[in-house]
Amino acid sequence: MELHRELLTAEMIEPGTGKPVRSSIEVRFDPLTGHSSRILPERGLMPASDFDLEAFARQTQSGCPFCPGQIGRLTPRLPARIHPGGRIASGEATLFPNLHAYSSHSSVSVYSPRLHYLPLEAITPRLLTDNLATQVAFAKAVMAADPGARWASINANHMLPSGSSLFHPHLQGIVDTQPTTMQRMLADVPAQRFAAYLETERRGGERYLGDTGRIQWTASFAPIAPAEVRAFADGISSPAELDDDLTAELADGLARVLGAYADMGFQSFNCAIYGAPPGTEGYPLNLRLACRSSLKPFYRSDSTFLERLHWESAVDLPPETAAQRIGERFR
Ligand SMILES: [Zn+2]
């Protein structure tokens, strides 16, 4: 498979010197969905976090509905037809319905009520395994109770810049009769194209992160967002099909990437595990994970008119540089 890119050149007269200067912009095309992405020269668009997250955690803790003592009182419960217990627990993780639903079945799952402050370097494989396990159980329970709801995803808005409205770290699940735009686009990709893309990345090596067993990890060739990583789990197409071993493998890979993000100075991320209906032939369960701007007063959002309105990302962190940093955690 040929990974397609075009080089653009901008020319301008430099202020002060009056001399002509040129800069390059690389436009890359995602081999799976065709969306394009702009790789800009390094210009410090994603400064490292220098914000005192721990102090902010203390400020936001009083009255937090996900903290001990409040969670049982202030969060909703699942209808009995979905889960008789009202909430789904695994280890320290607890799942309940999202008070502000985005779909027919929307859930929130906290890593632990006690972990109001959870920097990325402290998100362990154990915490992730348990939290993912509640989401897998939720997807299974919803599909059993509502057979028309075949499209499941597990997602994260981690810290305010990513869209999270509550500080307390959590995952979010969606199970519905309708896919999101990206779920539909990915589910429409022919099986051979996933195989050819992964083969190309594995052979090229400059973005490929590793194979953790049944899951392959690579930095995106044409990222939607900074330091974007994608993963593909062969043999299953929905989060509802994740068994315990595969959940643990996914959690282990995610913890590696999040640890690398912390090393790179980032503390906010989005994640999506895009399910297609269970049993979809040739669709490997897809995951995408990327950094967001660091939290601080008057910060710059990494999501601009390009990302929001043109569906075209512009990043100044080359995917190959991100792959080098994140790859250290996979070797
Ligand atoms: Zn809390």
Side-chain angles (χ1 to χ4, degrees), residues 60-102:
T60 55
Q61 191 151 21
S62 86
C64 170
F66 298 167
C67 272
Q70 315 264 52
I71 190 167
R73 223 162 33 83
L74 296 179
T75 59
R77 297 162 67 84
L78 296 162
R81 68 187 179 89
I82 305 289
H83 189 77
R87 297 193 181 89
I88 299 173
S90 175
E92 291 189 61
T94 302
L95 177 144
F96 42 87
N98 193 330
L99 198 53
H100 308 291
Y102 291 95

Side-chain angles (χ1 to χ4, degrees), residues 57 60-68 112-117 167-169:
T60 55
Q61 191 151 21
S62 86
C64 170
F66 298 167
C67 272
S112 164
R114 75 180 170 88
L115 293 170
H116 183 80
Y117 173 58
F167 184 91
H168 197 123

